[in-house]
Each structure stands twice: as C-alpha cells, then as structure tokens.
Amino acid sequence: MERTFAMIKPDGVQRGLIGQIITRIERRGLRLEALKMIRLDKDTAAEHYKEHVGKGFYDSLLDYITSGPVVVMAIYGDSSVSMIRDIVGKTDPKKAAPGTIRADFGIDISRNIIHAADSPESAERELNVYFDGSEYQNYSKPDEKWLYP
Ligand SMILES: Nc1ncnc2c1ncn2[C@@H]1O[C@H](COP(=O)(O)OP(=O)(O)O)[C@@H](O)[C@H]1O
Ligand SMILES: [Mg+2]
C-alpha cells in the first residue's frame, strides 16, 4: 500500500473535467486521502517542477501551471503510484493510449490536463510540497473488503 500525488492542471479545471477525472480514480478502487483546490504561486510551481529547470519548455510550463486554479490530491492504495501513472497516460496526449486521461481529453503536450508523481520518492517529495500531515484523512471505505482479498 502506498500514497501518491496527482494534480488536475489549470486546463483540466477550466474545461470542467474535475469530476470525470476523479471518477476514474475512485472507480479503480483507489482512495482519496486529501483533496483541495489551490492556485500555485511561481515559487511553489518552481519547487514542483525543479527537475525541469533549464529545459526549453520550462518557462511556459510555469506560466501554464500558475495560470488558474488546480486540484491537488493524495491517493492511497495498492501500487497507487504506477496505477495513477497508467490511468493518466503518456506525457504527450497524441502518444497516450486510448482510455487514459491524457488521450481521452487532450491533444497537445503542453496542455495535458493532469500531473501524476512518477515514483514513490517523487510522490513523497511532491506530497510534502502541497500537504501537511494534518490534511490527510484516515478512513476506510466499505468496498475495500471486496477490492482487497
Ligand atoms: N516538449 C514539451 N513541450 C511542452 N511542455 C512539455 C514538454 N515536455 C513536458 N512538458 C510539460 O512538462 C510536464 C512535466 O514533464 P514530464 O515530467 O516529462 O512529464 P510527465 O508530466 O508525464 O511526468 C508535462 O506534463 C508537460 O506539462
Ligand atoms: Mg514528470
């Protein structure tokens, strides 16, 4: 069992996709532990995307991610890091597999709707950027006894 981090980016929020995205996470059996809508400032965006400093798309990425509200989430479950990456799909919506969020809702690599942590280490680092310990809800759902034998 592990916890991962995901963010519905400004285009996902503006295009009214919050509900459809969260539905895909919930129906898979993963459990939301924390959820909030925020607006990133440049410092937070830079901390989040620090691995991309110096790349050609970095400045436009920071403009994009700070351009409107985002929804940040902590998601818990068996193999949740790789499960969410699979639900999200490849970075470029044009190359993402049908059935993934980026393929089903997106066209352009610079407007790819959702972010998901790419490893347990990234998940922990990113969760600490957005949440403090008191923001996680510790609960279980009745269907979990059917999801996990
Ligand atoms: N070639 C590119 N042109 C424009 N934006 C890009 C490009 N590559 C990546 N990005 C943006 O930067 C984000 C972070 O890139 P990366 O970590 O490689 O992808 P992912 O979000 O799939 O982990 C992408 O989700 C996308 O918003
Ligand atoms: Mg990445």
Side-chain angles (χ1 to χ4, degrees), residues 9 49 52 57 61 64 85 91 102 109-110 112 115:
K9 296 177 174 182
Y49 280 126
H52 297 300
F57 58 83
L61 176 59
Y64 161 50
R85 286 287 287 191
T91 307
R102 285 169 169 170
I109 192 168
S110 65
N112 62 1
H115 164 83

Side-chain angles (χ1 to χ4, degrees), residues 64-115:
Y64 161 50
I65 209 70
T66 58
S67 65
V70 300
V71 173
V72 290
M73 296 172 266
I75 304 159
Y76 182 85
D78 185 9
S79 307
S80 64
V81 174
S82 61
M83 293 253 295
I84 293 291
R85 286 287 287 191
D86 289 347
I87 291 170
V88 163
K90 286 188 180 163
T91 307
D92 184 351
K94 290 188 193 70
K95 295 179 182 146
T100 62
I101 291 168
R102 285 169 169 170
D104 289 357
F105 299 118
I107 298 174
D108 193 275
I109 192 168
S110 65
R111 297 289 182 274
N112 62 1
I113 305 154
I114 183 167
H115 164 83

